[in-house]
Amino acid sequence: MNINLNKSGVSLLNALSNHSELIMQAYFSGSVNEAEYSPNIIQSLIDLKVLWRPESDVQLRLRPSLRTLLEESLQDESNRQIDANIGNLLATLTTQAEHYKEALAHQKYNESQAHLSDLTEHVYTLTETLSTNVRLLWSRISNEFGYVSSVDAKIRENELAQTQVTDMLNQLSMFHFDTLSQLAGSHRELRHLLVITLQSAFATSTQELSLVQSKLLELLGRFREFKGRTRLLKGFMLHMEQKPDFTPVNYSTLSQVPNLFNRADGIIKAAAPDIHNVEHEFELTSLVNNLRSVNRLWQGKLNREVANPLILEQETSVSLEEDLLKNAVENYFCEVIDSGQNTRALDYYNKHDLTFDQEVWIYQVLGAFQGLPDSERQYFDIDLEGVPHQVFDGNFIIQDIELGLR
């Protein structure tokens, strides 16, 4: 005998005996008036699972299991309307709601409150039943059906649980909240019970059952894998009992290796980058960028090896050449202003026997024009002469520039 279970049972029965008046009051009124009893008594009954609070703003009520026990023992026909079948229970909720609305219409407020109390009890019993069923399923899954020992028994329990989940989902499909909303109408109490409370319980139970179903399928696959491995191990043990002198063959020396042991990894085949594959664009770009960085490192190393006087001389010559080109372009602009006539850049280039590269000269003239402030640029008029590119559409090759005053 389990001593802890015995003590818990005795404590529960003593609590039911000592607080029988509180329990019967909760049975007939539907809830407990907490102001009439000590907080310690209320908390002890909550800890013993005698009372429970469905929601934070709802009064304490009897547990459905205890209420069912009292209904069966007292043979209370007025309250024995709770059915485990959701279809029958929904029909009962509809009947109680119609009773409540009719009593209100005839201004029978005491009778309407009694019907509302019964309806509230049925609704919270239904929500508790749904949550209890889901909780029991999770408890069975958590210990992987540890109350049975064999793998075959676990598989049968798993299949039974899947059948129960399917039945519960079929029963949940009986909820039609549009019909319940029409039944509740504009009554705030009915809408809170038939729409808000039931819909919240429905959503939670449906989500939990879907998770339970996926977990059951996962466990079933694992159990079947265990069963297959167990069968293989039993077959090997039976073979060893029948042939105790059996020794495994050195399969590496055989020319025909059985498929069970022929598990060599495949040789990696030769590969080459496909520059036309868009999916490889990112990898190829990364490789090219790395190559450029290596080239920059190599070029920087060469530059460091060159003597310092030679580097200064090169920089000086480059700066002098840039200054000469800039002065020539400024003189070209000044000549256009002084003469007041349009002048081509290449004509000025040939007239003064400039030694710069023609392409660099044209590019510098265009850059100088673009670099002028807007207040000065408006006095000049520029015309670009060239031809379109023969291969690439949209590209224009500038061959000469004609500059003049507006």
Side-chain angles (χ1 to χ4, degrees), residues 96-104 112 115-116 187 189-190:
Q96 292 292 339
E98 293 292 349
H99 291 341
Y100 172 72
K101 292 165 61 177
E102 181 181 1
L104 282 181
S112 65
H115 291 307
L116 181 61
H187 297 278
E189 294 81 2
L190 292 181

Side-chain angles (χ1 to χ4, degrees), residues 263-275:
R263 291 292 183 269
D265 296 333
I267 300 176
I268 300 177
K269 297 181 180 180
D274 185 5
I275 59 175

Side-chain angles (χ1 to χ4, degrees), residues 35-267:
E36 298 179 359
Y37 301 96
S38 170
N40 295 331
I41 296 176
I42 298 296
Q43 187 60 42
S44 63
L45 292 178
I46 293 176
D47 296 337
L48 291 173
K49 308 299 183 184
V50 175
L51 301 178
W52 73 301
R53 194 186 304 275
E55 296 178 1
S56 58
D57 56 345
V58 177
Q59 293 181 338
L60 288 171
R61 299 176 178 276
L62 288 180
R63 283 282 179 177
S65 56
L66 179 57
R67 187 176 182 85
T68 303
L69 174 63
L70 292 175
E71 290 171 357
E72 293 293 335
S73 301
L74 301 176
Q75 297 182 357
D76 186 5
E77 298 296 334
S78 62
N79 288 326
R80 292 177 62 186
Q81 299 176 0
I82 299 176
D83 198 320
N85 187 292
I86 292 181
N88 293 339
L89 186 54
L90 288 175
T92 302
L93 296 180
T94 303
T95 303
Q96 292 292 339
E98 293 292 349
H99 291 341
Y100 172 72
K101 292 165 61 177
E102 181 181 1
L104 282 181
H106 292 83
Q107 298 181 356
K108 299 178 180 179
Y109 299 110
N110 293 332
E111 185 177 346
S112 65
Q113 289 300 321
H115 291 307
L116 181 61
S117 178
D118 291 341
L119 178 62
T120 305
E121 192 65 37
H122 295 330
V123 169
Y124 287 128
T125 300
L126 175 58
T127 58
E128 175 68 10
T129 301
L130 292 176
S131 61
T132 301
N133 291 337
V134 175
R135 185 169 60 251
L136 290 176
L137 285 172
W138 274 121
S139 64
R140 294 164 65 185
I141 290 175
S142 299
N143 59 13
E144 297 184 358
F145 307 102
Y147 48 87
V148 291
S149 58
S150 64
V151 178
D152 290 333
K154 292 179 182 294
I155 292 176
R156 288 192 296 269
E157 289 291 332
N158 188 295
E159 293 174 347
L160 174 62
Q162 290 190 39
T163 304
Q164 293 173 348
V165 171
T166 303
D167 293 339
M168 291 182 64
L169 290 175
N170 292 334
Q171 291 181 2
L172 288 176
S173 64
M174 298 179 183
F175 282 91
H176 300 289
F177 290 102
D178 52 349
T179 304
L180 293 176
S181 179
Q182 294 177 2
L183 176 64
S186 59
H187 297 278
R188 184 174 60 87
E189 294 81 2
L190 292 181
R191 295 194 67 86
H192 176 74
L193 291 173
L194 300 180
V195 180
I196 298 177
T197 304
L198 286 182
Q199 196 164 21
S200 176
F202 171 83
T204 304
S205 300
T206 304
Q207 184 178 6
E208 289 290 332
L209 287 176
S210 63
L211 296 176
V212 167
Q213 208 166 27
S214 61
K215 188 65 176 179
L216 286 173
L217 291 175
E218 180 184 351
L219 283 178
L220 184 61
R222 189 188 306 173
F223 291 154
R224 287 177 177 173
E225 182 181 359
F226 290 163
K227 184 177 180 180
R229 293 181 179 180
T230 303
R231 186 183 296 112
L232 181 63
L233 181 60
K234 288 182 178 179
F236 179 74
M237 294 176 62
L238 180 61
H239 177 75
M240 293 299 297
E241 290 177 359
Q242 295 178 353
K243 298 180 179 180
D245 56 345
F246 171 78
T247 56
V249 181
N250 187 4
Y251 294 99
S252 61
T253 60
L254 300 178
S255 58
Q256 297 293 333
V257 181
N259 293 330
L260 180 63
F261 301 97
N262 191 10
R263 291 292 183 269
D265 296 333
I267 300 176

